[in-house]
Amino acid sequence: MRSERSYVAGLYLRLDAERARVRGEYESALRGTGGTPRERDDQVRALAKEGKRLAVADDGLCFGRLDTISGEHSYVGRIGLFDEENEYEPVLLDWRAPAARPFYVATGANPENMRRRRQFHTRGRQVLDFTDEAFGRPGGDERGDAALLAAVNAPRGEGMRDIVATIQAEQDEIIRLDHPGVLVIEGGPGTGKTVVALHRVAYLLYTHRERMERHGVLVVGPNPAFLNHIGRVLPSLGESDVVFMTTGDLVPGLRVTAEDTGEAARLKGSLKILDVLTAAIADRQRLPEQPVPITLGGVTVRIDAETAEWAREEARASGLPHNEARAVFAEIVTYVVTERAIGRIGRGWLTRDDREAWEQLRADLLKELADDDAFTAALDDLWPVLTPEALLASLYISPERLRAAGADPALWRADGEAWTVPDVPLLDELVDLLGRDKAADKAAEAEAERERTAEAEYAAGVMDIMKLDREELDEDVQLVAENLLYAEDLADRFVERDTRELVERAAADRDWTYRHVVVDEAQELSEMDWRVLMRRCPGRSFTVVGDLAQRRSVAGATSWAEMLEPYVPGRWVYRPLSVNYRTPAEIMTVAAALLAEFAPEVRPPDSVRACGVLPWARRVTEDELPGAIEEFVREEDGREGTSVVIGPPGVPGTVPASETKGLEYDAVLVVAPERILAEGPRGAADLYVALTRATQRLGVLHQDPLPHSLSGLAEIGTPAAT
């Protein structure tokens, strides 16, 4: 024990020295004057990132040791450390390194040339104890589970913890899987599929860092609470170039404020909605009911239906998005009205043979048209510039427009801009169908250029100040000057560099593409959701996490192949997880009975442990219900760990099951399971989710008789009786 404590203490000394070195280089880089501004900024960012990597390693820096048959040994930990004086020999293996893999997969039957695995039990920087597992001994066919059971039995905190010290062989195989396409990880409640996916991201960033970190990784989850729950895992593993979003966040700047009916969500999630969007755009490409008069060069000409139809056909045939095709439409209409005006103005004196005069007159008329409000209004009426939000909102509030687009009347709503999550993929699709507004883009570019010019002028002013005699500068200005890099670089910094971190830049940019995307609770995603995500990752590198048995969305997946084959035919693989690390056997028995009723073809995961506490049920009246909930909350407040009360919509003091997906609590109280089941076709899946959130204790309060699937619960008089 003494030698192990000494070795780990030495690792911490190396860690502290490395931190000090990086911190010193970082501060030096901030003051540095060598190289270009871009080179110095890149160096500062790289050092800042390395500082973050080292900062997370205090807790559990080293958690184990491997001894080979030949007598060599190596230590495994959260990050890698090296002996610079001994040809950079590793003194601590990063858990993702190939040499560390036996720590997770070696067994008595397949020892991977290992003689022993040692796992440290630590608190802070101190080694308290260790557990040894010798390979090759009689009965030593499986890995010892003392560390695993200690981890899964520990009280839950406010967020998901990494499992870097207790990754199991089944999980490690998935984490290290070398597959360039889509990996589907499916597992029942508590199988660790989410945390495995996050560790896979850390592994991919470790093994393909140069390729992946320039564009980052996107993690998509079902709701903000879930993302907050998992948000600490990757930073704890030293990885920060990861963007966390819900599907409702995929269009930057959009605010979701409403919720769709099940039928509207189903319609919006289907690929058939693409025909509706296309038709809605075509409906806005109009022909005039009456010829539109335009005064030009002192004469009046008209935009008639024949002219507009020709222009519309040419614009549509161009294959350009709607807003960009407007230029084609406008060009045809402009040509016709100017030709007609020239013919009338030049009647009797101008012929086409006089090309110079003809073209001069055309140029004059074009200038006149450019400032003609009536002509611009006519173009706006016949081929308007559209934004995704304006088009979709005007479609939803108009039964006539819905009918013209061939849409189901169920899509109608009174407030067109009350955006819902299923609206997001439609709005994203419309960005491509409508295209850019070139005029608005040019105006924005001009404004940006004015800002850059102003910033450069400011920088030039600072440079002039710095050239003054230092005695003429007051103390504050001298302080500013001393903290600037080369004055000549200042303007370049203003003009050239976007100093935001990758995560901030990616989240704000709808056109940003990622090297890898993780999709959690993927069974809830619709066909249209998948189109959005595939656009975000042209390389089609995904880790997809889900459980079809837990699907509640009417637009969600009923088959992985059905969702993925259109995008990655033959490029996706499936890996199941079968061991439940969260839910104790006593609770899983209750949940499995429910699962057998609504998804008999699905086998529930096998719980790795029992907790010794039986789940209970208690029947209450409507008047007794609030007091029973308060009693549960009060009792759990006096215990270590976390708790939640889950119930159907409208029950005070409860949260819906949909908001707890992917989360875990030490204690769970499920209220009115009979009403959750009655909520709709996916009510059984919601109840299954609710029952499987608990890691230790489960209680059920019901007013009506218990559903048959929960008849195995022990009825009690009060929750305290447990």
Side-chain angles (χ1 to χ4, degrees):
M1 175 63 73
R2 182 179 300 174
S3 64
E4 298 291 35
R5 286 176 175 166
S6 176
Y7 190 88
V8 172
L11 292 176
Y12 277 109
L13 289 176
R14 288 181 182 274
L15 175 66
D16 291 339
E18 187 69 2
R19 284 175 173 171
R21 179 189 66 79
V22 171
R23 185 165 53 249
E25 291 183 5
Y26 175 78
E27 292 172 354
S28 177
L30 287 176
R31 299 189 300 268
T33 56
T36 66
R38 182 178 298 274
E39 289 170 342
R40 291 199 299 277
D41 283 352
D42 287 345
Q43 183 185 21
V44 167
R45 288 186 177 186
L47 289 167
K49 187 174 294 185
E50 178 65 6
K52 289 180 181 178
R53 185 184 78 88
L54 295 171
V56 303
D58 254 351
D59 187 12
L61 171 63
C62 176
F63 47 76
R65 190 180 101 177
L66 278 171
D67 295 356
T68 67
I69 293 175
S70 61
E72 299 176 346
H73 60 260
S74 54
Y75 290 81
V76 181
R78 190 171 292 276
I79 64 172
L81 292 175
F82 302 90
D83 185 352
E84 297 180 11
E85 297 179 358
N86 190 19
E87 298 182 347
Y88 282 87
E89 279 291 312
V91 293
L92 182 65
L93 290 175
D94 189 300
W95 66 274
R96 296 166 287 192
R101 188 169 183 270
F103 186 79
Y104 300 109
V105 302
T107 65
N110 297 289
E112 302 274 335
N113 293 320
M114 296 295 149
R115 181 174 62 86
R116 178 172 59 189
R117 171 173 43 228
R118 173 170 290 175
Q119 288 187 289
F120 297 134
H121 310 291
T122 62
R123 180 183 299 127
R125 294 189 167 201
Q126 185 71 27
V127 176
L128 302 178
D129 196 1
F130 60 75
T131 303
D132 279 348
E133 181 185 359
F135 300 121
R137 65 187 180 189
D141 293 339
E142 298 297 333
R143 179 179 175 181
D145 56 5
L148 172 65
L149 290 177
V152 297
N153 279 312
R156 265 46 186 176
E158 291 303 316
M160 179 179 283
R161 296 167 294 192
D162 65 64
I163 58 169
V164 64
T166 58
I167 295 171
Q168 302 299 288
E170 176 187 55
Q171 298 170 328
D172 187 80
E173 179 185 352
I174 295 173
I175 290 170
R176 298 175 192 265
L177 184 66
D178 184 16
H179 178 70
V182 176
L183 167 64
V184 176
I185 307 173
E186 183 165 31
T191 52
K193 51 189 179 292
T194 296
V195 75
V196 167
L198 296 175
H199 282 68
R200 174 168 168 77
V201 169
Y203 176 76
L204 292 174
L205 285 167
Y206 176 81
T207 53
H208 304 289
R209 187 167 302 282
E210 185 175 346
R211 180 175 65 86
M212 292 185 66
E213 71 177 356
R214 286 196 301 272
H215 286 255
V217 173
L218 172 65
V219 175
V220 178
N223 54 58
F226 174 84
L227 294 180
N228 183 60
H229 177 67
I230 70 172
R232 304 176 188 176
V233 174
L234 284 166
S236 77
L237 299 172
E239 304 299 348
S240 57
D241 289 335
V242 180
V243 178
F244 292 88
M245 288 186 180
T246 68
T247 52
D249 301 324
L250 289 170
V251 173
L254 187 76
R255 186 164 172 260
V256 172
T257 60
E259 187 172 343
D260 276 316
T261 63
E263 178 61 9
R266 184 188 67 79
L267 292 167
K268 293 177 183 180
S270 169
L271 292 181
K272 294 178 182 178
I273 199 70
L274 293 172
D275 294 333
V276 173
L277 298 180
T278 302
I281 295 172
D283 184 51
R284 304 299 293 273
Q285 300 164 354
R286 299 180 54 253
L287 303 181
E289 295 180 2
Q290 299 292 331
V292 180
I294 302 293
T295 301
L296 189 60
V299 301
T300 299
V301 292
R302 287 172 172 77
I303 304 173
D304 53 28
E306 184 180 6
T307 298
E309 186 172 17
W310 176 30
R312 185 172 70 176
E313 289 175 357
E314 292 293 328
R316 289 176 176 176
S318 71
L320 294 171
H322 169 86
N323 289 334
E324 296 173 30
R326 173 185 161 106
V328 179
F329 180 86
E331 183 180 21
I332 299 295
V333 173
T334 299
Y335 170 78
V336 171
V337 298
T338 54
E339 283 291 303
R340 290 175 178 174
I342 291 171
R344 295 189 60 185
I345 294 168
R347 184 176 297 162
W349 64 271
L350 181 63
T351 67
R352 288 185 180 276
D353 292 336
D354 190 354
R355 298 306 303 171
E356 184 175 346
W358 191 285
E359 293 303 326
Q360 181 58 52
L361 181 54
R362 181 192 297 281
D364 293 340
L365 294 178
L366 289 174
K367 289 180 181 178
E368 187 176 338
L369 274 182
D371 297 324
D372 190 320
D373 292 339
F375 181 70
T376 301
L379 291 180
D380 289 343
D381 184 50
L382 300 176
W383 198 286
V385 172
L386 298 171
T387 65
E389 292 82 358
L391 176 70
L392 204 55
S394 64
L395 177 67
Y396 287 152
I397 64 174
S398 170
E400 294 78 15
R401 282 182 172 157
L402 286 170
R403 196 160 44 244
D408 192 297
L411 292 179
W412 180 89
R413 68 187 186 211
D415 185 353
E417 295 184 343
W419 302 117
T420 66
V421 171
D423 287 330
V424 171
L426 278 60
L427 291 166
D428 192 73
E429 192 78 35
L430 285 169
V431 172
D432 289 344
L433 292 176
L434 295 175
R436 305 294 184 186
D437 177 359
K438 292 297 183 66
D441 285 350
K442 287 181 179 179
E445 288 175 7
E447 178 61 27
E449 181 59 34
R450 284 192 292 271
E451 290 181 2
R452 285 194 293 268
T453 300
E455 289 167 345
E457 289 174 353
Y458 169 76
V462 174
M463 290 161 56
D464 290 340
I465 291 175
M466 294 182 68
K467 292 175 183 176
L468 297 175
D469 190 312
R470 289 178 62 87
E471 294 180 359
E472 299 178 20
L473 301 179
D474 61 32
E475 184 177 344
D476 289 338
V477 174
Q478 286 191 38
L479 183 61
V480 170
E482 289 170 359
N483 282 281
L484 290 171
L485 303 179
Y486 278 124
E488 290 81 1
D489 297 333
L490 190 57
D492 290 337
R493 284 181 173 274
F494 277 123
V495 174
E496 295 178 5
R497 299 294 280 161
D498 183 345
T499 57
R500 293 176 299 170
E501 294 293 331
L502 179 144
V503 169
E504 186 180 359
R505 286 183 285 131
D509 186 355
R510 180 263 174 187
D511 296 322
W512 190 277
T513 57
Y514 299 87
R515 284 292 183 262
H516 191 77
V517 176
V518 176
V519 186
D520 211 322
E521 299 293 343
Q523 73 277 356
E524 307 297 345
L525 269 61
S526 69
E527 292 175 312
M528 289 297 294
D529 289 327
W530 280 109
R531 283 179 65 86
V532 179
L533 293 176
M534 291 295 169
R535 278 195 287 272
R536 298 298 190 272
C537 187
R540 304 291 195 262
S541 178
F542 282 75
T543 299
V544 175
V545 181
D547 179 11
L548 295 178
Q550 295 186 57
R551 177 180 67 88
R552 69 183 306 272
S553 169
V554 293
T558 56
S559 158
W560 299 120
E562 195 175 286
M563 286 296 188
L564 298 174
E565 275 295 321
Y567 302 104
V568 284
R571 286 191 60 226
W572 66 280
V573 297
Y574 175 86
R575 293 292 184 272
L577 288 170
S578 58
V579 178
N580 188 333
Y581 300 100
R582 175 207 301 145
T583 317
E586 295 89 343
I587 296 176
M588 199 63 220
T589 298
V590 175
L594 173 65
L595 183 67
E597 284 198 359
F598 79 92
E601 74 283 359
V602 178
R603 177 183 172 182
D606 298 321
S607 294
V608 76
R609 68 191 173 97
C611 66
V613 179
L614 292 175
W616 53 265
R618 177 188 173 196
R619 190 168 186 176
V620 295
T621 65
E622 185 174 351
D623 291 339
E624 292 172 333
L625 180 60
I629 293 175
E630 290 177 9
E631 186 175 353
F632 169 84
V633 172
R634 187 167 55 251
E635 181 178 326
E636 290 302 328
D637 282 345
R639 288 173 162 160
E640 188 178 6
T642 59
S643 63
V644 69
V645 181
I646 302 174
V651 177
T654 71
V655 298
S658 59
E659 293 184 14
T660 66
K661 296 195 77 169
L663 308 183
E664 56 184 29
Y665 305 87
D666 291 273
V668 172
L669 180 66
V670 178
V671 175
E674 66 278 15
R675 286 176 54 186
I676 296 176
L677 279 174
E679 279 296 307
R682 302 308 301 174
D686 277 351
L687 182 55
Y688 183 59
V689 169
L691 295 173
T692 54
R693 299 306 94 195
T695 67
Q696 302 290 344
R697 299 175 297 281
L698 172 67
V700 173
L701 296 177
H702 60 105
Q703 293 174 255
D704 298 328
L706 272 178
H708 177 267
S709 57
L710 302 186
S711 59
L713 286 168
E715 286 280 2
I716 63 166
T718 66
T722 58

